[in-house]
Amino acid sequence: MTPGSNGASTPEDDDPFGYLYADGQANGAQPPSGGYGYPNSVNRVRPVGTRQYGAPQQHQGTQTAAFGQAAPPQQGVYGQPNAHYAAPETFPGGGGGSHTGAQQSGHGGGGRRGPNTKGLLIGAVAVVAAVVIGIAVAMTSSGSDDDKGGDEAGGDPTAGQSQTTEPSASASDGAEEEVELPGVDAKTLRLSPGVTTASDVKGAEADGGVYVTGFNQVGAKVTWTVNGIEKAGSYRLNVRYGIPGVDADATLVINGKASSRPLNMKNFGGTPQGDWEKGWQTTWANVNLTKGTNTIELACNEGNKCDVAFDQFSLSTD
């Protein structure tokens, strides 16, 4: 024999396409009929619709054509539904793969499981909750920014820019500023004859410790000329005095008019009698003054108790 010619059904004849060549035709190769290849090939063609997804393997084997025999006729007619076949989209989940996995799982197989819809739902809820929380935090944190005018759409376009504003009115605008009212030491008072100054007794707060003495006589006068009263009205006259532990008083005269009540200079501190040094105290009386210059006079008249020394006079508001 020559190479490549070893008789029928030799390896040279295994080429399923041998019938297409001259050498194959010379060796008896024939086009396929009833099977793939030449006549002695094994026919394993399975008609459409005979296979069931997830069906046991032995059941599928019964539908396989016998060795060397033609395949059994196709079940069902083309274009008509097959009893053993259903489209994958008709199964729950919409896919053939998940249905096959479900059938295989039902028969004890380990096929692929369908999507975890419960897990997807939980994930979606978590995402929505995170978005809601984020929006709430943003709205809360932007509360202070709103006060600044800022970044909100439709807000003041000039917010955040430097602006020139008029000076704000102070709390004192529209109200009278407190004017410092005058005061006087004893040595600057105008004294009547017989009234003098001294500094022997300690405790006087006037400059140099000087005080007025010799007032204990009828007709004695001490006069203070007050300048610069800007507004007429009622003021408080404060008088610092010293007594030897006994009550005293004097007639109060404002701008030449005597007050109906004397200036009371009692022993409010209860100091011992005869002790001038411990007898320094303060009293006050309301006086009506006019705008400009006023005269305030203390006089020792009949009926007054005038054993008293004077330290300082001052005015204040009521």
Side-chain angles (χ1 to χ4, degrees), residues 184-207:
V184 67
D185 285 345
K187 63 183 179 180
T188 61
L189 296 173
R190 187 171 74 247
L191 307 177
S192 66
V195 181
T196 186
T197 59
S199 58
D200 299 336
V201 179
K202 296 180 180 180
E205 295 181 356
D207 186 22

Side-chain angles (χ1 to χ4, degrees), residues 68-256:
Q69 296 181 1
Q74 182 178 354
Q75 297 180 6
V77 181
Y78 179 80
Q80 295 183 357
N82 188 280
H84 300 287
Y85 177 81
E89 58 270 16
T90 62
F91 294 105
S98 61
H99 176 66
T100 303
Q103 289 184 343
Q104 291 176 353
S105 175
H107 289 285
R112 185 179 63 183
R113 299 180 60 187
N116 189 348
T117 56
K118 183 177 180 181
L120 292 176
L121 179 60
I122 294 175
V125 172
V127 171
V128 173
V131 171
V132 172
I133 293 173
I135 294 174
V137 171
M139 293 178 64
T140 302
S141 62
S142 64
S144 60
D145 294 338
D146 293 342
D147 295 338
K148 298 178 182 178
D151 302 326
E152 281 190 289
D156 185 1
T158 62
Q161 300 178 0
S162 176
Q163 298 181 4
T164 302
T165 58
E166 295 295 330
S168 59
S170 62
S172 62
D173 287 353
E176 291 187 14
E177 295 183 359
E178 184 176 353
V179 179
E180 184 177 357
L181 296 172
V184 67
D185 285 345
K187 63 183 179 180
T188 61
L189 296 173
R190 187 171 74 247
L191 307 177
S192 66
V195 181
T196 186
T197 59
S199 58
D200 299 336
V201 179
K202 296 180 180 180
E205 295 181 356
D207 186 22
V210 177
Y211 54 90
V212 173
T213 189
F215 188 74
N216 191 15
Q217 53 182 316
V218 176
K221 296 181 182 180
V222 175
T223 305
W224 176 28
T225 301
V226 182
N227 298 313
I229 299 299
E230 296 183 356
K231 183 179 180 181
S234 177
Y235 294 86
R236 176 176 291 185
L237 172 65
N238 304 294
V239 177
R240 191 168 191 270
Y241 64 96
I243 52 176
V246 294
D247 296 339
D249 58 50
T251 300
L252 178 61
V253 181
I254 306 297
N255 295 325

Side-chain angles (χ1 to χ4, degrees), residues 15 26 61 224 253 288 317:
D15 186 357
W224 176 28
V253 181
N288 291 319
T317 56

Side-chain angles (χ1 to χ4, degrees), residues 224 235-239 252 283-287 296 313-315:
W224 176 28
Y235 294 86
R236 176 176 291 185
L237 172 65
N238 304 294
V239 177
L252 178 61
T283 189
W284 61 271
N286 288 328
V287 294
I296 298 176
F313 291 177
S314 65
L315 291 173

